[in-house]
Amino acid sequence: MTTTSTHRLRHAAAAAGAGFVLVSAFQALLAAGVPLGRAAFGGASAELPGTLRIASGVATAFWLVAAAVVLRRGGYRVRWIPERIAKVGTWALVGLLTAGMLMNLASPSPWERFGWAPIIAVLAALCLTTARGQRQTAH
């Protein structure tokens, strides 16, 4: 792998990881009851009901693990994520994010259609760039 492609891979992984941390923070705010529900779960209500707050709590942890997976795949030192899990997991994120983007585009919520759909599309592209990269040694 050339130095340029290594840098591109690492930058894509870092950007995706940062994006996942931001998505996780948003989910944490929803779980805490902050009235941002118009931008999530179809936008039916400003403050999420209890079951959706629990789902946001689970999503908070999920997106933090996603950040670790993509960072590991990008060659960053995340020792608790095995390389094989990082490789398969990053490809799984590409699929999940693509499906999520389509769901956001179909949402009745303008926040999801015009806000989250493009953000998720960028995260999917960053994960695709990272997933296509060669296996990296952790630095």
Side-chain angles (χ1 to χ4, degrees), residues 9-23:
L9 174 66
R10 289 179 62 80
H11 286 115
F20 291 146
V21 169
L22 291 174
V23 172

Side-chain angles (χ1 to χ4, degrees), residues 64-111:
L64 289 175
V65 172
V69 164
V70 78
L71 287 169
R72 173 68 170 172
R73 179 68 182 143
Y76 291 91
R77 216 177 251 187
V78 184
R79 294 181 182 170
W80 58 277
I81 303 285
E83 284 187 44
R84 179 76 180 145
I85 296 295
K87 184 175 184 176
V88 172
T90 302
W91 279 109
L93 286 167
V94 171
L96 177 70
L97 290 164
T98 301
M101 177 200 61
L102 294 172
M103 290 170 52
N104 280 312
L105 286 171
S107 173
S109 166
W111 288 102

